[in-house]
Amino acid sequence: MNIRSVADRLGISAGRLERMLGRIVRSSDWPEPRLLRFDKAISGIEAGTVVFEDGEIAYGYPKIRRAMMLDPAIRRHFSGGVLVEEKMNGHNVRVARVGGKTIALTRGGFVCPYSTEVAEGQIPSGVFDDHPAIVLCGEMVGPKNPYVPKDVYSADSMDFILFDVSRKGKRDMEGSKAAHAIAEEYGVKAVRLFGEFTAEKAAGEIREIVEDLGSRGREGVVIKDPENLNSPMKYTSSESNCRDLEFAFRYYNDYGQDFFFSRVVREGFQAAEWSDGAAEFDARCLRLGRSMLMPMRETVEAKISGIEIAQEVEILVRDLQTAADFEEHYRRMGVRAVFDPPRTAPGGHLVKIRRVVMSTNDKTRSVLEGQLW
């Protein structure tokens, strides 16, 4: 790989890129293709950006900021109408064709063997035949998702859901209209588009949408500029905030404090803006409190009973080699996990994965043995 040429394409000096190698920029030769991966954002380059052996670049997906007070945020950041799409709850991937093969990159810039197999099976090759430089940005969702398993979606295993598109070598996303046009032309699944609303009326419409999504176990919405001139923003349901807390408190010592704090703060702003009545506010308080205390209690009681705290997920693969590659992918990311022997199932092979949550196990054990906090 020609470092000087790569640096020129990235808009930085060759010397600066060389100094970042091995620290911020990591090289990878497994699985193919060979690439350089940006672990952190620097010099205007998003984290998760990858540079392939042939010099092509897939920039990281930009972080979408969150609206805390919905109506003021919309009025401040959008001058005309807004498009409202469903925010899916899964893991973010970018799918592209590199060296003649379809690959799926995680948000961090890793080639995920399991996500790649799903993308190969669900995205028609014609997309890349007609648009060789396209990068499809989407969410992998479904109950057989090893990163974020959710059974609220209609997928039997895991589905790729398109929400944006970009091009190799381009930092900018092309927006909702471009993504839905690609989805319709090639038969790719796309996020649900609820419609376009004026900035003045959007908050009320979005509240109704978010309340309905929350009641059905869904996450929330992404609000976008119809002409893709302003950055999008996201807004989540109370139920989604509480489910995140319920999951994280089960493994309380393996999540940063900001993860917990930010979701509680969201609840406070939403309760104020939506002017919760006494009954609504009591229900919100109960939902929030239970989401934190119940999983914590279950974790402590499990440890008292001698049960190891672990996350159990299941994946469905067509090819057994994909399961072996995904196990190696976990190992290289430093994830300690036990993969059960594959079981034959409709559509392929089921593999149960048990991830041991070391920090929560160790902390809970030490406290139960009398260690002070």
Side-chain angles (χ1 to χ4, degrees):
M1 187 179 296
N2 187 315
I3 294 298
R4 183 171 298 277
S5 175
V6 169
D8 286 343
R9 293 187 183 193
L10 290 168
I12 59 178
S13 69
R16 182 165 175 74
L17 180 56
E18 287 174 346
R19 289 191 296 273
M20 289 190 285
L21 292 174
R23 299 185 300 110
I24 295 171
V25 180
R26 311 281 182 178
S27 62
S28 173
D29 58 6
W30 188 95
E32 294 184 342
R34 295 182 61 187
L35 55 82
L36 295 177
R37 182 186 72 253
F38 280 74
D39 275 348
K40 298 178 181 178
I42 190 168
S43 300
I45 301 169
E46 294 283 351
T49 294
V50 298
V51 183
F52 300 105
E53 181 73 11
D54 61 6
E56 291 185 318
I57 301 169
Y59 282 96
Y61 192 80
K63 183 177 180 180
I64 298 179
R65 299 189 68 184
R66 183 179 301 276
M68 299 294 279
M69 292 291 281
L70 188 57
D71 188 51
I74 292 173
R75 291 174 182 272
R76 178 167 182 166
H77 293 281
F78 299 101
S79 57
V82 295
L83 295 176
V84 180
E85 294 179 339
E86 181 172 359
K87 183 182 188 303
M88 309 298 286
N89 196 347
H91 69 279
N92 184 296
V93 295
R94 286 157 291 149
V95 182
R97 178 180 285 175
V98 181
K101 297 181 178 180
T102 298
I103 64 163
L105 296 166
T106 66
R107 192 174 191 94
F110 294 90
V111 178
C112 174
Y114 182 44
S115 302
T116 292
E117 185 187 80
V118 172
E120 288 173 335
Q122 295 188 8
I123 299 174
S125 61
V127 178
F128 301 112
D129 293 338
D130 297 341
H131 308 275
I134 201 168
V135 179
L136 302 177
C137 304
E139 200 85 359
M140 290 286 183
V141 302
K144 299 295 187 291
N145 186 327
Y147 302 100
V148 187
K150 294 288 181 179
D151 59 5
V152 298
Y153 300 110
S154 58
D156 293 329
S157 175
M158 189 166 75
D159 278 346
F160 172 80
I161 309 294
L162 181 70
F163 59 69
D164 214 330
V165 295
S166 65
R167 308 282 164 169
K168 295 174 187 172
K170 303 290 185 181
R171 285 185 169 90
D172 296 334
M173 298 294 116
E174 297 186 4
S176 178
K177 290 181 179 179
H180 284 277
I182 288 288
E184 184 175 354
E185 181 176 359
Y186 294 97
V188 177
K189 293 180 181 178
V191 293
R192 181 180 176 184
L193 177 62
F194 291 101
E196 182 171 349
F197 308 99
T198 63
E200 292 74 20
K201 295 183 178 180
E205 299 284 353
I206 292 170
R207 174 177 175 171
E208 291 184 10
I209 292 169
V210 169
E211 287 179 328
D212 176 64
L213 289 172
S215 70
R216 294 187 289 115
R218 303 294 186 110
E219 187 171 11
V221 297
V222 179
I223 307 159
K224 297 182 176 181
D225 187 310
E227 304 306 321
N228 202 36
L229 299 177
N230 296 315
S231 299
M233 64 177 66
K234 56 190 176 183
Y235 191 77
T236 48
S237 68
S238 174
E239 290 83 356
S240 176
N241 296 333
C242 291
R243 278 193 305 275
D244 285 351
L245 289 169
E246 182 179 354
F247 181 82
F249 268 100
R250 193 171 303 279
Y251 314 107
Y252 65 93
N253 217 49
D254 288 82
Y255 283 80
Q257 290 186 10
D258 183 63
F259 185 95
F260 302 109
F261 179 71
S262 64
R263 283 158 177 79
V264 176
V265 170
R266 291 176 204 170
E267 288 296 290
F269 277 103
Q270 189 176 87
E273 182 175 15
W274 289 8
S275 300
D276 282 357
E280 293 170 314
F281 188 64
D282 285 347
R284 186 187 294 272
C285 291
L286 179 61
R287 182 167 59 241
L288 181 61
R290 287 181 65 88
S291 71
M292 293 186 283
L293 290 181
M294 186 172 67
M296 269 290 305
R297 176 180 173 174
E298 291 173 351
T299 289
V300 174
E301 290 177 341
K303 202 63 186 172
I304 290 173
S305 300
I307 300 171
E308 192 171 46
I309 310 305
Q311 298 176 12
E312 290 190 353
V313 296
E314 202 169 48
I315 60 175
L316 176 66
V317 298
R318 296 194 310 273
D319 188 340
L320 285 176
Q321 185 59 46
T322 301
D325 288 345
F326 190 68
E327 185 171 4
E328 175 66 11
H329 173 65
Y330 259 18
R331 188 191 69 80
R332 288 173 179 256
M333 291 197 304
V335 177
R336 182 181 170 186
V338 176
F339 282 63
D340 284 355
R343 310 186 318 274
T344 302
H349 311 273
L350 283 172
V351 181
K352 182 176 287 187
I353 305 169
R354 190 167 184 270
R355 295 177 54 176
V356 180
V357 188
M358 292 305 299
S359 183
T360 297
N361 269 288
D362 293 344
K363 186 66 174 179
T364 309
R365 182 188 302 111
S366 67
V367 172
L368 291 175
E369 292 173 351
Q371 186 180 86
L372 303 180
W373 192 273

